[in-house]
Amino acid sequence: MTLHMVIDGVYDSDMLLAVEDRPALSNPNYEFESNYVDGRNGSLNRLKYIKDVTQKVKFNMLEDFNVKEKLRYIKSWLFNCKKIRFDDDIVYRKVKYVEIGDIDNEIAEYGSFEVSFVCDPFEYHVGNDEVTIVKDGIIFNRGTIYSLPKLEIMGSGEGVVTINDQAIELNLTVEHAYIDSEIQEIYKDDTNLGLSMVGDFPRLMPGQNDIEISGDFDTVKFNVRERYL
C-alpha cells in the first residue's frame, strides 16, 4: 500500500511528490524538574513542559521534464504549511515551522530531499466531534491528554457551566457566544466578551466528563478537540 502525506489538505501526489520510505513516527519528549528532599527516598519530579516534535519525511519526484521550477513552488508550499498527516491515520499535527534539506538534483528530471516538520507535541483527531449538552450530560474524551474545547453558548443571560468540578460563571448580553480554550478567549464575531466570564477556561479530561448547565440558558455545544501524545 502506497503511503501518502496530506499537507494542508493537499496530497503529496498532487504536487508530484512521493514519500520515499515509511518514516518513523516521532514521539514527544518531556522536560522534568527533579529535586531531592532530605529524609525522602527518590526524587520529586515536576513536569515543566512537553517538547516540540520533529517529523522527518523524505520525498522524491521523477518526471519527464525539468523539475527545478516545480521544486521552487513546492518549497514555498512546504515552508507555509500548517497541518500534516499520513493518509493511513486519523490524526494530524500542527506545524510550527519547516526545515528543508539539500535537494539532490543531479538529473534535471529528478529531485530528492528530506523535510523536517517541527510540530507542537500533540496529535489531533481529524474529525471535530461536536456534542450538544442540554441541562446535563456526559462527554467522553477519547484522547490521551486533556483537550482544549470550543464551546458555543446557545442563549443569553446569567448561567453556570460546570465541567466535572470546574464552574464557569457567565453573564451574557448576546446569544451564541463562544468560549475557546485554545486561544483563551470568549467572544462573538469580532467582539471580545472577557468581562462576561468568571472562571478558568475549560478542559476536558481523558475519559468521562460530567457536564451541568444552569441559569438562563440550558444548551451548550462542545467541540471536543481530542488530542493524543
Side-chain angles (χ1 to χ4, degrees):
M1 177 179 172
T2 302
L3 177 69
H4 290 285
M5 195 168 198
V6 185
I7 302 173
D8 288 343
V10 178
Y11 278 72
D12 52 12
S13 55
D14 294 335
M15 301 296 286
L16 306 182
L17 293 176
V19 176
E20 189 171 301
D21 297 300
R22 179 175 287 271
L25 297 178
S26 300
N27 289 313
N29 292 315
Y30 301 79
E31 184 69 25
F32 287 95
E33 182 179 72
S34 298
N35 294 291
Y36 287 89
V37 178
D38 289 345
R40 181 184 179 121
N41 295 319
S43 61
L44 296 175
N45 299 290
R46 180 180 69 87
L47 176 62
K48 295 173 64 178
Y49 51 82
I50 306 173
K51 296 181 179 180
D52 289 338
V53 167
T54 300
Q55 180 65 65
K56 295 184 177 182
V57 182
K58 290 183 178 180
F59 291 105
N60 61 49
M61 62 187 307
L62 179 61
E63 299 299 327
D64 56 2
F65 57 85
N66 191 316
V67 299
K68 286 186 173 67
E69 182 177 353
K70 184 66 175 180
L71 284 170
R72 284 192 287 270
Y73 178 76
I74 288 171
K75 286 194 294 182
S76 175
W77 170 61
L78 291 172
F79 277 131
N80 291 284
C81 74
K82 301 300 181 185
K83 296 180 181 180
I84 60 170
R85 70 178 180 89
F86 296 106
D87 69 339
D88 63 348
D89 207 346
I90 59 169
V91 295
Y92 68 90
R93 288 194 181 277
K94 295 181 180 180
V95 180
K96 292 189 172 183
Y97 63 92
V98 172
E99 296 175 342
I100 300 177
D102 293 339
I103 299 175
D104 180 3
N105 186 225
E106 292 182 6
I107 303 172
E109 295 79 17
Y110 174 78
S112 177
F113 55 97
E114 182 176 75
V115 181
S116 296
F117 298 93
V118 180
C119 307
D120 82 12
F122 309 110
E123 295 177 318
Y124 297 84
H125 198 278
V126 171
N128 286 323
D129 289 347
E130 190 171 80
V131 179
T132 299
I133 300 294
V134 180
K135 293 185 178 179
D136 60 67
I138 292 171
I139 293 177
F140 195 84
N141 177 10
R142 296 168 296 182
T144 57
I145 190 172
Y146 65 85
S147 74
L148 301 174
K150 181 178 180 180
L151 282 59
E152 181 181 1
I153 312 299
M154 311 294 288
S156 61
E158 296 184 18
V160 178
V161 179
T162 303
I163 303 172
N164 300 318
D165 296 324
Q166 178 189 356
I168 304 167
E169 299 178 16
L170 299 170
N171 186 357
L172 299 171
T173 58
V174 298
E175 295 188 355
H176 298 278
Y178 295 90
I179 300 173
D180 193 327
S181 296
E182 195 169 84
I183 61 175
Q184 300 274 288
E185 286 188 9
I186 175 171
Y187 64 92
K188 180 174 183 180
D189 299 326
D190 296 327
T191 303
N192 186 289
L193 305 173
L195 297 178
S196 301
M197 171 180 155
V198 176
D200 294 329
F201 284 91
R203 296 179 175 185
L204 294 174
M205 305 307 293
Q208 179 174 311
N209 293 266
D210 298 314
I211 313 295
E212 292 185 8
I213 306 167
S214 61
D216 294 334
F217 46 83
D218 61 7
T219 303
V220 177
K221 290 184 179 179
F222 287 77
N223 188 329
V224 180
R225 291 175 169 167
E226 295 168 354
R227 57 186 188 169
Y228 309 81
L229 284 171

